[in-house]
């Protein structure tokens, strides 16, 4: 998993509330178990017409937001089914951070497991960042995980909270497999002792 330390990128405004995982990645794209390749179908039904043409008014189709790395979203982002494909699609598109007033629990947890930082802020702070994001190519926001701050295009700073263990995992690029591999020496030692004490196993 790629480390998340400090991110400076374009923020795309998505003020809709209750953006669910089926909107993020529709069900017809869930057949794959590959984490890559889903970015082109992110928000598929909102980005494209039925015949595959881009919908110009959708935020991620606008030239200034095509390379967005941050989404500033409405309340209850990631609700609906528990599909892990949702953070896979966001990450494959290039989104590394989502900011909202609240997230669905399973989606929230899946973000951390896949290298995406979900940030929960009070409504007034989200409103400020949403306003910043409306500036298009000038909507560069800096997210500093180490110091737990968000700096807007005008230099204004907002602090955010994050669980210390999850912060450690993101800073060091540790997913569940990486966390297990951190204990490799202890696991090898245990297995060696077990082999000596119970050779019949």
């Amino acid at each position: 998993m790629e480390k998340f330390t400090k991110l400076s990128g374009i923020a795309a405004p998505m003020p809709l509330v209750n953006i669910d995982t089926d909107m993020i990645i529709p069900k017809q794209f869930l057949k794959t178990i590959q984490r890559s390749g889903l970015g082109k179908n992110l928000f598929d039904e909102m980005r494209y017409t039925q015949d595959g043409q881009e919908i110009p008014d959708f935020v991620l189709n606008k030239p200034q937001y095509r390379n967005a790395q941050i989404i500033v979203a409405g309340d209850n982002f990631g609700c609906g089914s528990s599909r892990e494909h949702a953070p896979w699609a966001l990450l494959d598109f290039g989104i590394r951070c989502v900011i909202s007033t609240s997230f669905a629990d399973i989606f929230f947890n899946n973000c951390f497991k896949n290298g995406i930082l979900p940030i929960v802020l009070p409504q007034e702070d989200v409103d400020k960042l949403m306003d910043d994001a409306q500036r298009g190519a000038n909507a560069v926001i800096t997210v500093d995980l180490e110091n737990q701050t968000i700096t807007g295009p005008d230099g204004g700073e907002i602090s955010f909270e994050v669980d210390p263990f999850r912060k450690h995992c993101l800073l060091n690029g540790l997913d569940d497999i990486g966390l297990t591999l951190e204990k490799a020496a202890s696991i090898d030692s245990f297995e060696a002792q077990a082999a000596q004490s119970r050779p019949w196993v």
Side-chain angles (χ1 to χ4, degrees):
M1 187 172 80
E2 186 179 348
K3 294 180 182 180
F4 188 114
T5 53
K6 193 173 187 178
L7 171 69
S8 290
I10 297 293
M14 295 191 71
L16 292 173
V17 299
N18 302 320
I19 294 176
D20 64 30
T21 51
D22 191 54
M23 294 166 71
I24 296 170
I25 185 73
K27 59 186 179 300
Q28 62 266 34
F29 303 110
L30 304 186
K31 297 174 184 177
T32 182
I33 57 171
Q34 299 293 323
R35 297 187 183 200
S36 60
L38 290 170
K40 65 181 180 293
N41 302 118
L42 177 69
F43 297 113
D44 191 85
E45 293 174 1
M46 300 167 74
R47 280 172 72 193
Y48 306 107
T49 62
Q50 289 188 343
D51 60 357
Q53 300 300 309
E54 286 191 352
I55 298 172
D57 288 342
F58 182 67
V59 62
L60 296 181
N61 287 338
K62 295 179 179 180
Q64 61 268 40
Y65 296 113
R66 285 185 181 272
N67 296 313
Q69 293 179 279
I70 300 164
I71 289 176
V72 183
D75 190 51
N76 197 28
F77 191 90
C79 57
S81 66
S82 60
R83 61 192 68 171
E84 196 168 1
H85 294 69
W88 293 355
L90 287 164
L91 190 63
D92 192 60
F93 181 87
I95 302 298
R96 294 297 312 278
C97 178
V98 182
I99 302 168
S100 179
T101 53
S102 69
F103 295 88
D105 288 343
I106 294 175
F107 175 83
F108 187 77
N109 293 331
N110 282 338
C111 280
F112 283 104
K113 291 180 179 182
N114 288 280
I116 297 172
L117 174 61
I119 297 175
V120 177
L121 291 175
Q123 186 66 60
E124 62 185 63
D125 288 336
V126 172
D127 289 344
K128 290 176 189 173
L129 293 171
M130 192 75 72
D131 184 62
D132 287 337
Q134 300 284 355
R135 302 183 189 190
N138 295 320
V140 176
I141 290 174
T142 299
V143 180
D144 185 335
L145 178 55
E146 181 66 51
N147 294 307
Q148 295 178 210
T149 58
I150 303 168
T151 306
D154 292 334
E157 194 171 274
I158 295 170
S159 297
F160 64 90
E161 297 297 321
V162 62
D163 176 80
F165 174 71
R166 287 170 165 164
K167 177 179 178 179
H168 167 79
C169 291
L170 280 179
L171 287 172
N172 293 282
L174 297 171
D175 56 11
D176 289 345
I177 294 172
L179 285 167
T180 302
L181 290 175
E182 277 195 320
K183 308 294 183 183
S186 298
I187 293 169
D188 291 343
S189 175
F190 172 82
E191 289 181 341
Q193 291 175 4
Q196 284 185 338
S197 62
R198 298 177 294 168
W200 61 87
V201 175

